[in-house]
């Protein structure tokens, strides 16, 4: 489904600030897989997402999505097949527009409709029904500007915007890291609900190792622009955080003690 082959990216090559962010990275995802991604700051996690989304082109390697080569496909065209939710609740939404208007824009883009067409009564009812399943009262706040919502509510709207038309791939870029614990847990509940309901192929970066091991079907760990651990569902069962850290250290990766947030419960 998603196939990344020998992906390499170096920023500022030939200068004192040269940095290899992706180093011959290979990754395959099958339809419906939910893969969590962990690693220290600078491991290449968000760079990997940027490469998949087309924020930049690779120096070397290839990316295919659903058997289509997207290696040099422009970012705006990839966005029709790839949904992404960022850490910042304000990214991906228009804060001065209402919940209904934000959802309408997302729905119109993926359905190739004009905005006016997307605001048909049946489409508004679809938005209302989907929001109601979140249990946050958002179905009664469709006329509220997104910028006036709480962080958790904004992330819930972002999730629906990315999935209102089922994407080929969903990328979650530490989408609960900026939220308080209660809101983060609620957004994760909604995330699991949407992924299961729509059978979404998903990659999720998380700062929380416990969450990474308990969510989805597979966990990969990155360091130095490479995937150094790839742990399947069966192997993850019963795997503790100390055991994972021992495996990580055994691969000669940079120590995690400088990135304390990774140990959050």
């Amino acid at each position: 489904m998603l196939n990344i082959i020998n992906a390499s990216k170096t920023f500022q090559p030939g200068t004192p600030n040269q940095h290899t962010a992706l180093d011959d990275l290979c990754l395959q995802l099958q339809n419906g897989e939910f893969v969590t991604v962990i690693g220290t700051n600078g491991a290449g996690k968000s760079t990997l997402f940027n490469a998949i989304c087309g924020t930049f082109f690779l120096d070397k390697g290839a990316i295919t999505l659903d058997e289509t080569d997207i290696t040099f496909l422009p970012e705006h065209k990839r966005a029709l097949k790839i949904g992404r939710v960022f850490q910042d609740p304000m990214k991906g939404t228009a804060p001065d527009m209402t919940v209904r208007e934000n959802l309408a824009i997302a729905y119109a883009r993926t359905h190739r409709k004009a905005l006016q067409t997307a605001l048909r009564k049946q489409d508004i009812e679809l938005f209302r029904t989907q929001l109601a399943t979140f249990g946050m009262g958002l179905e009664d706040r469709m006329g509220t500007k997104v910028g006036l919502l709480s962080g958790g509510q904004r992330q819930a709207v972002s999730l629906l915007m990315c999935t209102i038309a089922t994407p080929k791939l969903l990328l979650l870029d530490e989408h609960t890291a900026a939220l308080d614990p209660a809101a983060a847990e609620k957004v994760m509940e909604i995330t699991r609900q949407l992924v299961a309901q729509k059978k979404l192929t998903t990659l999720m970066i998380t700062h929380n190792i416990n969450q990474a091991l308990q969510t989805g079907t597979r966990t990969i760990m990155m360091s130095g622009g490479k995937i150094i651990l790839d742990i399947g569902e069966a192997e993850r069962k019963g795997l503790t955080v100390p055991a994972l850290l021992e495996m990580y250290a055994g691969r000669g990766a940079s120590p995690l003690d400088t990135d304390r947030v990774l140990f959050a419960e």
Side-chain angles (χ1 to χ4, degrees):
M1 192 276 177
L2 175 69
N3 193 15
I4 302 175
I5 306 168
N6 302 123
S8 296
K9 182 64 182 181
T10 298
F11 294 103
Q12 298 181 289
T15 74
N17 295 320
Q18 177 173 315
H19 172 63
T20 299
L22 296 176
D23 187 4
D24 250 2
L25 182 145
C26 294
L27 176 65
Q28 285 187 322
L29 265 68
Q30 302 301 318
N31 280 321
E33 276 198 284
F34 188 166
V35 179
T36 56
V37 185
I38 51 179
T40 57
N41 289 332
K45 306 182 299 295
S46 289
T47 305
L48 171 62
F49 276 24
N50 287 336
I52 294 170
C53 288
T55 306
F56 54 75
F57 291 151
L58 297 174
D59 298 333
K60 186 183 74 170
I63 303 174
T64 61
L65 181 64
D66 205 22
E67 299 184 354
T68 299
D69 189 340
I70 63 170
T71 308
F72 297 107
L73 194 68
E75 184 174 13
H76 70 278
K77 291 189 176 181
R78 300 191 202 194
L80 297 175
K81 297 182 178 181
I82 300 172
R84 184 175 184 178
V85 183
F86 295 87
Q87 178 177 333
D88 183 353
M90 296 306 291
K91 277 192 174 182
T93 60
D96 290 330
M97 299 182 72
T98 67
V99 171
R100 180 176 59 247
E101 289 167 341
N102 272 271
L103 290 171
I105 290 172
Y107 193 64
R109 183 181 67 246
T110 52
H111 284 71
R112 298 181 180 275
K113 297 176 180 178
L115 180 59
Q116 292 83 355
T117 305
L119 287 172
R120 292 178 308 175
K121 182 178 178 180
Q122 57 265 46
D123 292 331
I124 294 174
E125 191 56 36
L126 171 65
F127 302 160
R128 189 183 305 280
T129 300
Q130 289 285 312
L131 288 169
T133 66
F134 296 168
M136 301 178 77
L138 285 167
E139 67 277 14
D140 298 320
R141 301 195 64 185
M142 290 178 60
T144 301
K145 290 183 178 180
V146 169
L148 298 178
L149 301 177
S150 69
Q153 289 173 326
R154 289 196 295 267
Q155 288 299 66
V157 172
S158 293
L159 277 166
L160 185 54
M161 287 176 67
C162 287
T163 59
I164 191 72
T166 306
K168 296 289 185 182
L169 178 67
L170 178 63
L171 303 179
L172 305 172
D173 195 347
E174 293 197 83
H175 69 307
T176 64
L179 305 177
D180 64 73
E185 181 53 40
K186 181 61 178 178
V187 170
M188 276 307 305
E189 177 188 324
I190 293 169
T191 300
R192 296 185 187 100
Q193 172 186 322
L194 285 170
V195 170
Q197 177 189 24
K198 295 176 177 286
K199 297 180 174 59
L200 299 173
T201 305
T202 306
L203 272 172
M204 183 182 81
I205 297 173
T206 177
H207 64 290
N208 188 319
I209 295 179
N210 285 299
Q211 185 182 77
L213 292 176
Q214 295 166 10
T215 304
T217 58
R218 178 177 157 202
T219 297
I220 62 174
M221 201 163 197
M222 294 184 63
S223 180
K226 295 176 178 288
I227 295 173
I228 61 169
L229 286 173
D230 191 337
I231 306 167
E233 189 168 18
E235 189 180 359
R236 286 198 325 174
K237 289 181 179 177
L239 184 64
T240 64
V241 171
L244 176 61
L245 296 179
E246 186 176 344
M247 293 169 63
Y248 178 79
R251 299 298 176 95
S254 302
L256 288 173
D257 56 0
T258 58
D259 197 358
R260 294 179 182 274
V261 72
L262 282 166
F263 300 99
E265 295 295 332

